């Protein structure tokens, strides 16, 4: 097999490397912050600032996802996770919003970690493509995050 075969593993993409560096910065910043309340308040501000940086339509969708998650699952704490808005329970990420722009994808993603209680039989969805956040989509997100922490 030739070493120039383009179908082989070529390492992380530039976007993936940037996300890992961003995560390392997030961990360092969190470790330097003061009390638990200070950390929580600053984490919310960090998430809102990250959302504000997003280009449209990602920003609009992220704002709606943030509002729906915080209203329907108040036990989830907003935080940055690999440079993305995420929502954690006891420090462990349950769900996150990934903008389309982040990894040059054609759609944004609402993803759930293995911490989310979405289990349905032997197979279930753990990520959802988003192209627009309508009232129906908001209702589906609300139901998912309630189930995820249920």
């Amino acid at each position: 097999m030739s070493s120039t075969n383009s179908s082989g593993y070529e390492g992380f993409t530039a976007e993936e490397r940037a996300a890992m560096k961003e995560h390392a910065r997030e961990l360092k910043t969190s470790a330097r912050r003061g009390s638990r309340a200070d950390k929580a308040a600053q984490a919310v501000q960090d998430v809102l600032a990250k959302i504000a940086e997003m280009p449209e339509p990602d920003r609009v969708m992220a704002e709606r996802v943030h509002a729906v998650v915080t209203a329907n699952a108040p036990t989830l704490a907003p935080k940055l996770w690999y440079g993305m808005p995420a929502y954690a329970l006891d420090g462990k990420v349950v769900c996150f919003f990934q903008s389309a722009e982040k990894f040059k994808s054609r759609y944004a993603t609402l993803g759930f970690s293995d911490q989310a209680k979405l289990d349905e039989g032997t197979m279930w969805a753990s990520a959802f493509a988003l192209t627009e956040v309508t009232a129906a989509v908001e209702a589906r997100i609300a139901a998912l995050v309630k189930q995820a922490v249920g």
Side-chain angles (χ1 to χ4, degrees):
M1 178 178 263
S2 169
S3 63
T4 60
N5 183 347
S6 63
S7 65
Y9 176 75
E10 295 183 23
F12 295 107
T13 66
E15 293 82 10
E16 290 168 332
R17 284 191 303 276
M20 288 185 284
K21 287 178 183 177
E22 205 161 3
H23 184 58
R25 280 192 302 274
E26 293 160 7
L27 294 173
K28 286 179 187 176
T29 299
S30 178
R32 282 182 268 167
R33 292 189 173 139
S35 71
R36 177 178 255 174
D38 290 343
K39 286 180 182 184
Q42 188 58 54
V44 171
Q45 292 306 312
D46 292 346
V47 166
L48 294 174
K50 184 58 71 174
I51 291 170
E53 292 174 3
M54 293 178 187
E56 284 195 32
D58 289 338
R59 182 178 63 251
V60 173
M61 289 188 288
E63 288 169 346
R64 293 308 313 139
V65 167
H66 178 78
V68 171
V69 171
T70 56
N72 289 279
T75 58
L76 293 179
K79 67 182 276 179
L80 288 179
W81 185 62
Y82 292 93
M84 297 176 285
Y87 305 87
L89 184 62
D90 299 326
K92 296 180 181 176
V93 170
V94 173
C95 63
F96 60 90
F97 176 85
Q98 180 179 303
S99 71
E101 187 266 339
K102 179 90 174 161
F103 292 105
K104 298 181 181 13
S105 176
R106 66 184 181 95
Y107 51 79
T109 305
L110 174 64
F112 292 87
S113 75
D114 62 337
Q115 299 297 310
K117 298 173 183 163
L118 299 178
D119 307 36
E120 290 182 17
T122 57
M123 186 173 128
W124 56 90
S126 63
F128 299 84
L130 294 171
T131 58
E132 183 180 8
V133 178
T134 63
V137 170
E138 286 184 8
R140 180 72 174 125
I141 293 169
L144 284 167
V145 296
K146 286 176 184 176
Q147 181 182 350
V149 297

